[in-house]
Amino acid sequence: MRDVADALAPQGWPMRWVRPDLAHLTLRFYGNVASDRVPDLAARIAPVAQSAQPLQLEATTIGAFPSEHRPRVIWLGLAGDIGPLGVLAAAVTTATNDYGPPERRPFAPHITLARLRDGAAAPSDFRQVVASVERPAVPFVADRLQLIRSVLGAGGPTYSTLHEWRLGAAPEIDDHG
């Protein structure tokens, strides 16, 4: 991830770059969840994590939402066990459908690298610059599922892990909450 940011950041695009230690793959976004509802949310996620297996993934392509012509979010695309990853995301969504806003877009597995600053114009040369970046696929194993609290602040988001489960394992790794 850092190699892509290092290649793209010198372009001077008006982006807020995600710190590499905050990089993650989101299966489901819940928005504001009251603290007293978190234990039930975790209880619904636990059996989904237990029934899943670790996934072999690769960070591959560089892309943008909503499109490469109007990049507002720059991301790394994923390859590998994408089918099982989609099944896992759907299972999490189904198990926790009482939480968070309904997702209207199909699941698009990615790792966010940067977001366009508020009010800034999207870079017009995104496609050309990305085409010149040579980047080998980076394999990794997704072997755990985490329930994360995100608090937005002036310096960017602060994440804290509320619960964490190993995929395919019965016990929770550690209760952070």
Coordinates of all heavy atoms in Angstrom, one line a residue, residues 52-135:
A52 N -16.7 -19.4 8.5 CA -15.9 -19.0 7.3 C -14.5 -19.5 7.5 O -14.1 -19.9 8.6 CB -15.8 -17.4 7.2
Q53 N -13.7 -19.6 6.4 CA -12.4 -20.0 6.4 C -11.4 -18.9 6.0 O -11.9 -17.9 5.3 CB -12.2 -21.2 5.4 CG -13.0 -22.4 5.8 CD -12.5 -22.9 7.2 OE1 -11.4 -23.1 7.5 NE2 -13.5 -23.2 8.1
P54 N -10.2 -18.9 6.4 CA -9.2 -17.9 5.9 C -9.2 -17.8 4.4 O -9.4 -18.8 3.7 CB -7.9 -18.4 6.4 CG -8.2 -19.2 7.6 CD -9.5 -19.9 7.3
L55 N -9.0 -16.6 3.9 CA -9.1 -16.3 2.5 C -7.7 -15.9 1.9 O -7.0 -15.1 2.6 CB -10.1 -15.2 2.2 CG -11.5 -15.4 2.7 CD1 -12.3 -14.2 2.7 CD2 -12.1 -16.6 2.0
Q56 N -7.3 -16.4 0.8 CA -6.1 -16.0 0.1 C -6.5 -14.9 -0.9 O -7.2 -15.1 -1.8 CB -5.6 -17.2 -0.7 CG -5.2 -18.4 0.1 CD -4.0 -18.2 1.0 OE1 -3.1 -17.5 0.7 NE2 -4.1 -18.8 2.2
L57 N -5.9 -13.7 -0.6 CA -6.2 -12.6 -1.4 C -5.0 -11.9 -1.9 O -3.9 -12.2 -1.4 CB -7.0 -11.5 -0.6 CG -8.4 -12.0 0.0 CD1 -9.0 -11.0 0.9 CD2 -9.3 -12.3 -1.2
E58 N -5.1 -11.1 -2.9 CA -4.0 -10.3 -3.4 C -4.5 -8.9 -3.7 O -5.5 -8.7 -4.2 CB -3.5 -10.8 -4.8 CG -2.8 -12.2 -4.7 CD -2.4 -12.6 -6.1 OE1 -2.9 -12.1 -7.1 OE2 -1.5 -13.4 -6.2
A59 N -3.7 -7.9 -3.2 CA -3.9 -6.5 -3.6 C -3.3 -6.3 -5.0 O -2.1 -6.6 -5.2 CB -3.2 -5.6 -2.6
T60 N -4.2 -5.9 -6.0 CA -3.7 -5.9 -7.4 C -3.8 -4.6 -8.0 O -2.9 -3.8 -8.0 CB -4.5 -7.0 -8.2 OG1 -5.9 -6.7 -8.0 CG2 -4.3 -8.4 -7.7
T61 N -5.0 -4.3 -8.6 CA -5.1 -3.1 -9.4 C -5.3 -1.8 -8.6 O -5.7 -1.9 -7.4 CB -6.3 -3.2 -10.3 OG1 -7.5 -3.5 -9.5 CG2 -6.1 -4.4 -11.3
I62 N -5.1 -0.7 -9.2 CA -5.4 0.6 -8.6 C -6.6 1.2 -9.3 O -6.6 1.2 -10.6 CB -4.2 1.6 -8.8 CG1 -2.9 1.0 -8.1 CG2 -4.5 2.9 -8.1 CD1 -1.6 1.7 -8.5
G63 N -7.6 1.6 -8.6 CA -8.8 2.1 -9.3 C -9.3 3.3 -8.5 O -8.7 3.8 -7.5
A64 N -10.5 3.7 -8.9 CA -11.2 4.9 -8.2 C -12.7 4.8 -8.3 O -13.3 4.2 -9.2 CB -10.7 6.2 -9.0
F65 N -13.3 5.3 -7.2 CA -14.7 5.5 -7.2 C -15.0 7.0 -7.3 O -14.2 7.8 -6.8 CB -15.3 5.1 -5.8 CG -15.2 3.6 -5.6 CD1 -14.7 3.2 -4.3 CD2 -15.7 2.7 -6.5 CE1 -14.7 1.8 -4.1 CE2 -15.6 1.3 -6.2 CZ -15.1 0.9 -5.0
P66 N -16.0 7.5 -8.0 CA -17.0 6.6 -8.7 C -16.5 6.1 -10.0 O -17.0 5.2 -10.6 CB -18.2 7.6 -8.9 CG -17.6 8.9 -8.9 CD -16.4 8.9 -8.0
S67 N -15.4 6.7 -10.6 CA -14.8 6.2 -11.8 C -13.4 6.8 -11.9 O -13.0 7.7 -11.2 CB -15.7 6.7 -13.0 OG -15.5 8.1 -13.2
E68 N -12.7 6.2 -12.9 CA -11.3 6.7 -13.1 C -11.3 8.1 -13.8 O -10.3 8.8 -13.7 CB -10.6 5.8 -14.0 CG -10.2 4.5 -13.3 CD -9.4 3.5 -14.1 OE1 -9.3 3.7 -15.4 OE2 -8.9 2.6 -13.5
H69 N -12.5 8.5 -14.3 CA -12.6 9.9 -14.9 C -12.9 10.9 -13.9 O -12.6 12.1 -14.1 CB -13.7 9.9 -16.0 CG -13.4 9.0 -17.1 ND1 -12.4 9.2 -18.1 CD2 -13.9 7.8 -17.5 CE1 -12.3 8.2 -18.9 NE2 -13.2 7.3 -18.6
R70 N -13.5 10.5 -12.7 CA -13.9 11.4 -11.6 C -13.5 10.8 -10.3 O -14.3 10.4 -9.5 CB -15.4 11.7 -11.6 CG -15.8 12.8 -12.5 CD -17.2 13.2 -12.2 NE -17.7 12.7 -11.0 CZ -18.9 12.1 -10.8 NH1 -19.8 12.0 -11.8 NH2 -19.4 11.7 -9.7
P71 N -12.2 10.6 -10.1 CA -11.7 9.9 -8.9 C -11.9 10.7 -7.6 O -11.4 11.7 -7.4 CB -10.2 9.6 -9.1 CG -9.8 10.7 -10.1 CD -11.0 11.0 -10.9
R72 N -12.8 10.2 -6.8 CA -13.0 10.8 -5.4 C -12.4 9.9 -4.3 O -12.0 10.4 -3.3 CB -14.5 11.0 -5.2 CG -15.1 12.0 -6.2 CD -16.5 12.5 -5.8 NE -16.4 13.2 -4.5 CZ -16.0 14.4 -4.3 NH1 -15.5 15.1 -5.3 NH2 -16.0 15.0 -3.1
V73 N -12.3 8.6 -4.6 CA -11.7 7.6 -3.7 C -10.7 6.8 -4.6 O -11.1 6.3 -5.6 CB -12.7 6.7 -3.0 CG1 -12.1 5.6 -2.2 CG2 -13.7 7.5 -2.2
I74 N -9.5 6.7 -4.1 CA -8.5 5.8 -4.8 C -8.4 4.6 -4.0 O -8.3 4.6 -2.7 CB -7.1 6.5 -4.9 CG1 -7.3 7.8 -5.8 CG2 -6.1 5.6 -5.6 CD1 -6.0 8.7 -5.8
W75 N -8.4 3.4 -4.7 CA -8.4 2.2 -3.9 C -7.5 1.1 -4.6 O -7.1 1.3 -5.8 CB -9.8 1.6 -3.8 CG -10.6 1.6 -5.0 CD1 -11.6 2.5 -5.3 CD2 -10.6 0.7 -6.1 NE1 -12.2 2.2 -6.5 CE2 -11.6 1.1 -7.1 CE3 -9.8 -0.4 -6.4 CZ2 -11.8 0.4 -8.2 CZ3 -10.0 -1.1 -7.6 CH2 -11.0 -0.7 -8.5
L76 N -7.2 0.1 -3.8 CA -6.5 -1.1 -4.3 C -7.6 -2.2 -4.5 O -8.3 -2.5 -3.6 CB -5.4 -1.6 -3.3 CG -4.1 -0.9 -3.3 CD1 -3.3 -1.5 -2.2 CD2 -3.4 -1.0 -4.6
G77 N -7.6 -2.7 -5.7 CA -8.6 -3.8 -5.9 C -8.0 -5.1 -5.5 O -6.8 -5.3 -5.3
L78 N -8.8 -6.1 -5.3 CA -8.4 -7.4 -4.7 C -8.7 -8.5 -5.7 O -9.7 -8.5 -6.5 CB -9.1 -7.7 -3.4 CG -8.9 -6.6 -2.3 CD1 -9.7 -7.0 -1.1 CD2 -7.4 -6.5 -2.0
A79 N -7.9 -9.6 -5.7 CA -8.1 -10.8 -6.5 C -7.9 -12.0 -5.5 O -7.5 -11.8 -4.4 CB -7.1 -10.8 -7.6
G80 N -8.1 -13.1 -6.0 CA -8.0 -14.3 -5.2 C -9.3 -14.9 -4.8 O -10.2 -15.0 -5.7
D81 N -9.5 -15.2 -3.5 CA -10.8 -15.8 -3.0 C -11.9 -14.7 -3.0 O -12.5 -14.6 -1.9 CB -10.5 -16.4 -1.7 CG -9.7 -17.7 -1.7 OD1 -9.6 -18.3 -2.8 OD2 -9.1 -18.0 -0.6
I82 N -12.2 -14.1 -4.1 CA -13.2 -13.0 -4.1 C -14.6 -13.6 -3.9 O -15.4 -13.0 -3.3 CB -13.1 -12.2 -5.4 CG1 -11.7 -11.5 -5.4 CG2 -14.2 -11.2 -5.5 CD1 -11.4 -10.6 -4.3
G83 N -14.9 -14.7 -4.5 CA -16.2 -15.4 -4.4 C -16.5 -15.6 -2.9 O -17.5 -15.2 -2.4
P84 N -15.6 -16.4 -2.2 CA -15.8 -16.6 -0.8 C -15.9 -15.3 0.0 O -16.6 -15.2 1.0 CB -14.7 -17.5 -0.4 CG -14.3 -18.2 -1.6 CD -14.5 -17.2 -2.7
L85 N -15.1 -14.3 -0.4 CA -15.1 -13.0 0.3 C -16.5 -12.4 0.2 O -17.1 -11.9 1.2 CB -14.1 -12.1 -0.2 CG -14.0 -10.7 0.4 CD1 -13.7 -10.8 1.9 CD2 -12.9 -9.9 -0.3
G86 N -17.1 -12.4 -1.0 CA -18.4 -11.9 -1.2 C -19.5 -12.7 -0.4 O -20.4 -12.1 0.1
V87 N -19.3 -14.0 -0.3 CA -20.2 -14.8 0.5 C -20.1 -14.4 1.9 O -21.1 -14.3 2.6 CB -19.9 -16.3 0.3 CG1 -20.7 -17.2 1.3 CG2 -20.3 -16.8 -1.1
L88 N -18.9 -14.2 2.4 CA -18.7 -13.8 3.8 C -19.3 -12.4 4.0 O -20.0 -12.2 5.1 CB -17.2 -13.7 4.1 CG -16.8 -13.2 5.5 CD1 -17.4 -14.1 6.6 CD2 -15.3 -13.2 5.7
A89 N -19.1 -11.5 3.1 CA -19.8 -10.1 3.3 C -21.3 -10.2 3.3 O -21.9 -9.6 4.1 CB -19.3 -9.2 2.2
A90 N -21.8 -11.1 2.4 CA -23.3 -11.2 2.4 C -23.8 -11.9 3.7 O -24.9 -11.5 4.2 CB -23.7 -12.1 1.2
A91 N -23.1 -12.8 4.2 CA -23.5 -13.5 5.5 C -23.4 -12.5 6.6 O -24.3 -12.5 7.5 CB -22.6 -14.7 5.7
V92 N -22.4 -11.7 6.7 CA -22.3 -10.7 7.7 C -23.5 -9.7 7.6 O -24.2 -9.4 8.6 CB -21.0 -9.9 7.7 CG1 -21.0 -8.6 8.6 CG2 -19.8 -10.8 8.1
T93 N -23.8 -9.3 6.4 CA -24.9 -8.3 6.2 C -26.2 -9.0 6.6 O -27.0 -8.3 7.3 CB -25.0 -7.9 4.7 OG1 -23.7 -7.2 4.4 CG2 -26.1 -7.0 4.4
T94 N -26.5 -10.2 6.2 CA -27.7 -10.9 6.5 C -27.9 -11.1 8.0 O -28.9 -10.8 8.6 CB -27.8 -12.3 5.8 OG1 -27.8 -12.1 4.4 CG2 -29.0 -13.0 6.2
A95 N -26.8 -11.4 8.7 CA -26.8 -11.7 10.1 C -27.0 -10.4 10.9 O -27.5 -10.4 12.1 CB -25.5 -12.4 10.6
T96 N -26.6 -9.3 10.3 CA -26.7 -8.0 11.1 C -27.6 -7.0 10.4 O -27.4 -5.8 10.5 CB -25.3 -7.4 11.2 OG1 -24.7 -7.2 9.9 CG2 -24.3 -8.3 12.0
N97 N -28.6 -7.5 9.7 CA -29.5 -6.5 8.9 C -30.2 -5.5 9.8 O -30.8 -4.6 9.2 CB -30.4 -7.3 8.0 CG -31.4 -8.2 8.7 OD1 -31.4 -8.2 9.9 ND2 -32.2 -8.9 7.9
D98 N -30.3 -5.7 11.1 CA -31.0 -4.8 11.9 C -30.1 -3.6 12.3 O -30.5 -2.7 13.0 CB -31.4 -5.4 13.2 CG -32.5 -6.5 13.0 OD1 -33.1 -6.5 11.9 OD2 -32.7 -7.3 13.9
Y99 N -28.8 -3.6 11.8 CA -27.9 -2.6 12.2 C -27.4 -1.8 10.9 O -27.2 -2.4 9.9 CB -26.6 -3.2 12.8 CG -26.9 -3.8 14.2 CD1 -27.4 -5.1 14.3 CD2 -26.7 -3.0 15.3 CE1 -27.7 -5.6 15.5 CE2 -27.0 -3.6 16.6 CZ -27.5 -4.8 16.7 OH -27.8 -5.4 17.9
G100 N -27.3 -0.5 11.1 CA -26.7 0.3 10.0 C -27.7 0.5 8.8 O -28.7 -0.2 8.7
P101 N -27.3 1.4 8.0 CA -28.2 1.7 6.8 C -28.1 0.6 5.8 O -27.1 -0.1 5.7 CB -27.5 3.0 6.3 CG -26.1 2.9 6.7 CD -26.1 2.2 8.0
P102 N -29.1 0.4 5.0 CA -29.1 -0.7 4.0 C -28.0 -0.3 2.9 O -27.9 0.9 2.6 CB -30.5 -0.7 3.4 CG -31.1 0.6 3.8 CD -30.4 1.1 5.1
E103 N -27.3 -1.2 2.5 CA -26.3 -1.0 1.4 C -27.0 -1.1 0.1 O -27.6 -2.1 -0.2 CB -25.1 -1.9 1.5 CG -24.0 -1.6 0.5 CD -23.5 -0.2 0.6 OE1 -22.8 0.1 1.6 OE2 -23.7 0.5 -0.3
R104 N -27.0 -0.1 -0.7 CA -27.7 -0.1 -2.0 C -26.7 -0.5 -3.2 O -27.2 -0.9 -4.2 CB -28.3 1.3 -2.3 CG -29.3 1.7 -1.3 CD -30.0 2.9 -1.6 NE -31.0 3.5 -0.7 CZ -31.6 3.0 0.3 NH1 -31.4 1.8 0.7 NH2 -32.4 3.7 1.0
R105 N -25.4 -0.5 -2.9 CA -24.5 -0.8 -4.0 C -24.0 -2.3 -3.7 O -23.9 -2.7 -2.6 CB -23.3 0.1 -4.0 CG -23.7 1.5 -4.3 CD -22.5 2.4 -4.0 NE -22.3 2.5 -2.5 CZ -21.7 3.4 -1.9 NH1 -21.0 4.3 -2.5 NH2 -21.5 3.3 -0.6
P106 N -23.7 -3.0 -4.8 CA -23.1 -4.3 -4.6 C -21.7 -4.3 -3.9 O -21.0 -3.2 -4.0 CB -23.0 -4.9 -6.0 CG -23.0 -3.7 -6.9 CD -23.7 -2.6 -6.2
F107 N -21.4 -5.3 -3.2 CA -20.1 -5.4 -2.5 C -19.0 -5.3 -3.5 O -19.0 -6.0 -4.5 CB -20.0 -6.7 -1.8 CG -18.7 -6.9 -1.0 CD1 -18.4 -6.1 0.0 CD2 -17.9 -8.0 -1.4 CE1 -17.2 -6.3 0.7 CE2 -16.7 -8.2 -0.7 CZ -16.3 -7.4 0.3
A108 N -18.1 -4.4 -3.3 CA -16.9 -4.2 -4.2 C -15.7 -4.2 -3.3 O -15.3 -3.2 -2.7 CB -17.0 -2.8 -4.9
P109 N -15.0 -5.4 -3.2 CA -13.9 -5.5 -2.3 C -12.7 -4.7 -2.7 O -12.3 -4.7 -3.9 CB -13.5 -7.0 -2.3 CG -14.1 -7.5 -3.6 CD -15.3 -6.6 -3.9
H110 N -12.3 -3.9 -1.8 CA -11.2 -2.9 -2.0 C -10.6 -2.5 -0.7 O -11.2 -2.6 0.3 CB -11.6 -1.7 -2.9 CG -12.6 -0.8 -2.1 ND1 -13.9 -1.1 -1.9 CD2 -12.3 0.3 -1.4 CE1 -14.5 -0.2 -1.1 NE2 -13.5 0.7 -0.8
I111 N -9.4 -1.9 -0.8 CA -8.7 -1.2 0.3 C -8.6 0.3 -0.1 O -7.9 0.6 -1.1 CB -7.4 -1.9 0.6 CG1 -7.6 -3.3 1.0 CG2 -6.6 -1.1 1.7 CD1 -6.3 -4.1 1.1
T112 N -9.1 1.1 0.7 CA -9.1 2.6 0.3 C -7.7 3.1 0.6 O -7.1 2.9 1.7 CB -10.1 3.4 1.2 OG1 -11.4 2.9 0.8 CG2 -10.0 4.9 0.9
L113 N -7.1 3.8 -0.4 CA -5.8 4.5 -0.3 C -5.9 6.0 0.1 O -5.1 6.5 0.8 CB -5.0 4.3 -1.6 CG -4.7 2.9 -2.0 CD1 -4.0 2.9 -3.4 CD2 -3.8 2.2 -1.0
A114 N -6.9 6.6 -0.6 CA -7.0 8.1 -0.4 C -8.4 8.5 -0.8 O -9.2 7.9 -1.5 CB -6.0 8.8 -1.3
R115 N -8.8 9.7 -0.2 CA -10.1 10.3 -0.5 C -9.8 11.8 -0.9 O -9.0 12.5 -0.3 CB -11.0 10.3 0.8 CG -11.5 9.0 1.1 CD -12.4 9.0 2.4 NE -12.8 7.7 2.8 CZ -12.1 6.8 3.4 NH1 -10.9 7.1 3.9 NH2 -12.6 5.6 3.7
L116 N -10.6 12.2 -1.9 CA -10.5 13.6 -2.3 C -10.9 14.6 -1.2 O -11.9 14.3 -0.5 CB -11.4 13.8 -3.5 CG -11.3 15.1 -4.3 CD1 -10.0 15.2 -5.0 CD2 -12.5 15.2 -5.3
R117 N -10.1 15.6 -1.0 CA -10.5 16.6 0.0 C -11.8 17.3 -0.4 O -12.1 17.5 -1.5 CB -9.3 17.6 0.1 CG -8.0 17.1 0.6 CD -7.0 18.2 0.9 NE -5.8 17.6 1.3 CZ -5.5 17.1 2.5 NH1 -6.3 17.2 3.4 NH2 -4.3 16.6 2.7
D118 N -12.5 17.7 0.7 CA -13.8 18.3 0.5 C -13.7 19.5 -0.4 O -12.8 20.4 -0.2 CB -14.4 18.7 1.8 CG -14.9 17.5 2.6 OD1 -15.1 16.4 2.0 OD2 -15.0 17.6 3.8
G119 N -14.5 19.6 -1.4 CA -14.5 20.8 -2.3 C -13.4 20.8 -3.3 O -13.4 21.8 -4.2
A120 N -12.5 19.9 -3.3 CA -11.4 19.9 -4.3 C -11.9 19.3 -5.6 O -12.8 18.5 -5.7 CB -10.2 19.1 -3.7
A121 N -11.2 19.7 -6.7 CA -11.5 19.2 -8.0 C -10.8 17.8 -8.1 O -9.6 17.7 -7.7 CB -11.0 20.1 -9.1
A122 N -11.4 16.9 -8.7 CA -10.8 15.5 -8.9 C -9.7 15.6 -9.9 O -9.8 16.4 -10.9 CB -11.9 14.6 -9.4
P123 N -8.6 14.9 -9.7 CA -7.5 14.9 -10.7 C -8.0 14.5 -12.1 O -8.6 13.4 -12.2 CB -6.5 14.0 -10.1 CG -7.1 13.3 -9.0 CD -8.4 14.0 -8.6
S124 N -7.6 15.2 -13.1 CA -8.0 14.8 -14.5 C -7.0 13.9 -15.1 O -7.3 13.2 -16.1 CB -8.1 16.1 -15.3 OG -6.8 16.7 -15.4
D125 N -5.8 13.7 -14.5 CA -4.8 12.8 -15.1 C -4.7 11.5 -14.4 O -3.7 10.8 -14.6 CB -3.4 13.5 -15.1 CG -3.0 13.9 -13.7 OD1 -3.8 13.9 -12.8 OD2 -1.8 14.3 -13.6
F126 N -5.7 11.1 -13.6 CA -5.6 9.9 -12.8 C -5.3 8.6 -13.7 O -4.4 7.9 -13.4 CB -6.9 9.6 -12.1 CG -7.0 8.4 -11.3 CD1 -6.3 8.3 -10.1 CD2 -7.6 7.2 -11.8 CE1 -6.3 7.1 -9.3 CE2 -7.6 6.0 -11.1 CZ -7.0 6.0 -9.8
R127 N -6.0 8.4 -14.8 CA -5.8 7.2 -15.6 C -4.4 7.2 -16.2 O -3.8 6.1 -16.1 CB -6.8 7.2 -16.7 CG -8.2 6.9 -16.3 CD -9.2 6.9 -17.4 NE -8.7 6.1 -18.5 CZ -9.4 5.4 -19.3 NH1 -10.7 5.4 -19.2 NH2 -8.8 4.7 -20.3
Q128 N -3.9 8.3 -16.6 CA -2.6 8.3 -17.2 C -1.5 8.0 -16.2 O -0.6 7.2 -16.4 CB -2.3 9.6 -17.9 CG -3.2 10.0 -19.0 CD -4.4 10.8 -18.5 OE1 -5.0 10.4 -17.5 NE2 -4.7 11.8 -19.2
V129 N -1.6 8.6 -15.0 CA -0.6 8.4 -14.0 C -0.7 6.9 -13.5 O 0.4 6.3 -13.3 CB -0.8 9.4 -12.8 CG1 0.0 9.0 -11.6 CG2 -0.6 10.8 -13.3
V130 N -1.9 6.4 -13.2 CA -2.0 5.0 -12.7 C -1.5 4.0 -13.7 O -0.8 3.1 -13.4 CB -3.5 4.7 -12.3 CG1 -3.7 3.3 -12.1 CG2 -3.8 5.5 -11.1
A131 N -1.7 4.3 -15.0 CA -1.2 3.4 -16.0 C 0.3 3.3 -16.0 O 0.9 2.3 -16.4 CB -1.7 3.8 -17.4
S132 N 1.0 4.3 -15.5 CA 2.5 4.3 -15.5 C 3.1 3.7 -14.2 O 4.3 3.5 -14.1 CB 3.0 5.7 -15.6 OG 2.8 6.5 -14.4
V133 N 2.2 3.4 -13.3 CA 2.7 2.8 -12.0 C 2.8 1.3 -12.2 O 1.8 0.6 -12.4 CB 1.7 3.1 -10.8 CG1 2.2 2.4 -9.6 CG2 1.6 4.6 -10.6
E134 N 4.0 0.8 -12.0 CA 4.2 -0.7 -12.1 C 4.1 -1.2 -10.6 O 4.9 -0.8 -9.7 CB 5.6 -1.0 -12.7 CG 5.7 -0.7 -14.1 CD 7.0 -1.2 -14.7 OE1 7.5 -2.2 -14.3 OE2 7.4 -0.5 -15.7
R135 N 3.2 -2.2 -10.5 CA 3.0 -2.7 -9.1 C 2.7 -4.2 -9.2 O 1.7 -4.5 -9.8 CB 1.8 -1.9 -8.5 CG 1.5 -2.4 -7.1 CD 0.5 -1.6 -6.5 NE 0.5 -1.8 -5.1 CZ 0.1 -2.9 -4.5 NH1 -0.5 -3.9 -5.2 NH2 0.1 -3.1 -3.2

